[in-house]
Amino acid sequence: MKKLIISMLPLLLLLGNCSPSETEGETEAANTSMDTATAASAPLVEEKDTTRQEVQELELHALGNTLEEIRYSTDTLMAEAGALVKLTFVNEGVDMPMVHNVVFTAPGKYKQVALAGARVGASGNYIPESEAVIAGSPMALPGQTVEMEFTVPTEPGLYDFVCTYPGHWKKMNGVLVVN
């Protein structure tokens, strides 16, 4: 009941300000001019949208079509500490055994994560549940492109990235430099 009384209070105050001599049209005109004056007198302030973070875009390619040839297009990626990254991962392989992913790990943990990923298997995208895993992409089939977004650690340093498909970690690994 209190809510009803409180929400009707502005209306009662507005009606209370009308004199009996005002006609309906005059009351409406007075209310319109009051609203217009309030809106016009309010300062226009454009606040910066702080909920939207800039996205740093990175691209990485998986190259080669045999176990001897496989590699990433670069062994070094760079990102700002705490940045939101959108990674486009392109698998340029042709034959079916050339399935790849990219998993970002804590410093020095890429081999451990890759070996654990092999035990997880395909149903888990070869990505283990581990505190050492920062982010990981789904598997990219030959010729496929996948995108992923993740937040880079806030602590500057050298982090690792690796393909966790069984056996690929030996040739497909690199460093994420966080400034």
Side-chain angles (χ1 to χ4, degrees), residues 59-122:
E59 190 168 308
L60 184 65
H61 295 249
L63 307 173
N65 210 38
T66 67
L67 287 177
E68 292 77 33
E69 298 172 346
I70 61 171
R71 67 186 188 287
Y72 287 124
S73 55
T74 183
D75 62 0
T76 306
L77 293 171
M78 300 182 80
E80 295 297 318
L84 177 61
V85 167
K86 178 181 177 183
L87 176 75
T88 301
F89 179 56
V90 181
N91 183 351
E92 295 186 13
V94 177
D95 294 334
M96 198 53 207
M98 295 297 108
V99 293
H100 304 290
N101 68 0
V102 58
V103 178
F104 293 87
T105 73
K109 299 292 184 182
Y110 77 92
K111 180 179 177 182
Q112 173 188 334
V113 167
L115 294 174
R119 290 189 296 273
V120 169

Side-chain angles (χ1 to χ4, degrees), residues 48 82 89 126-127 142 146 163:
K48 184 178 178 184
F89 179 56
Y126 299 98
I127 302 172
V146 297
C163 176

